[in-house]
Amino acid sequence: MIPKGWSSLTTDERSRGAQIKRLLDRRLAGVSRDAVATARHQIAQALEEQLAKAAEQGAQQLHVQTEPMRGVPISASLVVTVVDNIQDSSFPAAIERALGSSEGVLDHGPSQAGPYASLRRVRRVQSQDAGTDGQRRWETCVDHVIEVSDTDLLVLTFATTTDQVSGPLVLLFDAIADSLQPAPEESGGCPDSPAAPRVT
């Protein structure tokens, strides 16, 4: 389950601009546009870049922390990628695209995501993006690769650049992954067909 204070966006290029506008309108409701024009532009640009990057990884969804935690702004995101037809010859390239670099691995091994077995990896790398001070930031990433059927994998990629609370955020990321549950079967569906899991 995605925690309160997060917002969900699809990576479909056709709807990115409208989604970002709705999100910013909702989060900045009651605030003068002139007062936050620069910040609004920067946030919109950052979200556009995150969505484009997620789409390049083959992801369908991006979830981002959009509300402060205890009054402190937090950077946190979750990219959801479905890698299907894992027996196909294109699978190695698809999983490599979803997982990205193997740089900076701190921990890896078997884990659990709800009722599903998973492989978990934690990395700490320097972000490609500079902060407002022009300095590159440290980024902590947690990946869960989850086998949801004989032919499909679900890849959950969490990331934060709020380095001072990266430890608690890793615990939060793992808790979100562990909350994964099969989606209820639609009425009239075949009872023998596994329902697709959901994280929203």
Side-chain angles (χ1 to χ4, degrees):
M1 184 176 73
I2 302 302
K4 182 180 178 181
W6 288 56
S7 297
S8 301
L9 304 167
T10 66
T11 59
D12 188 339
E13 186 175 6
R14 296 167 296 181
S15 61
R16 286 179 200 166
Q19 289 183 96
I20 292 171
K21 182 180 183 301
R22 284 196 301 270
L23 172 60
L24 293 177
D25 286 347
R26 186 169 68 250
R27 293 303 178 197
L28 299 175
V31 180
S32 167
R33 275 182 174 261
D34 292 339
V36 294
T38 300
R40 184 184 176 101
H41 174 74
Q42 291 174 341
I43 294 170
Q45 187 175 39
L47 287 172
E48 183 72 40
E49 290 172 356
Q50 282 185 287
L51 285 167
K53 182 179 178 181
E56 287 175 5
Q57 294 175 215
Q60 291 76 36
Q61 293 176 297
L62 170 70
H63 306 277
V64 290
Q65 173 95 26
T66 52
E67 291 185 3
M69 294 177 65
R70 299 180 181 177
V72 179
I74 297 293
S75 159
S77 64
L78 163 60
V79 173
V80 181
T81 308
V82 176
V83 181
D84 53 12
N85 298 320
I86 62 177
Q87 297 173 350
D88 190 89
S89 60
S90 63
F91 169 70
I95 194 67
E96 182 178 355
R97 185 171 70 248
L99 286 175
S101 172
S102 59
E103 176 188 357
V105 174
L106 301 177
D107 187 25
H108 65 90
S111 187
Q112 196 74 20
Y116 304 99
S118 74
L119 290 175
R120 175 181 177 273
R121 180 181 71 169
V122 181
R123 297 187 302 127
R124 188 170 185 267
V125 296
Q126 278 199 301
S127 172
Q128 296 300 312
D129 304 318
T132 55
D133 57 0
Q135 300 296 314
R136 290 177 64 188
R137 298 162 294 179
W138 284 100
E139 183 175 47
T140 300
C141 307
V142 180
D143 301 303
H144 281 268
V145 180
I146 305 156
E147 185 177 3
V148 295
S149 75
D150 292 339
T151 59
D152 301 320
L153 296 177
L154 187 68
V155 181
L156 306 182
T157 300
F158 300 89
T160 179
T161 54
T162 311
D163 203 39
Q164 61 269 36
V165 291
S166 60
L169 284 173
V170 167
L171 296 177
L172 173 63
F173 296 160
D174 286 338
I176 295 173
D178 197 41
S179 72
L180 188 71
Q181 294 295 326
E185 294 180 10
E186 296 182 7
S187 58
C190 174
D192 295 328
S193 300
R198 59 178 179 179
V199 292
T200 55

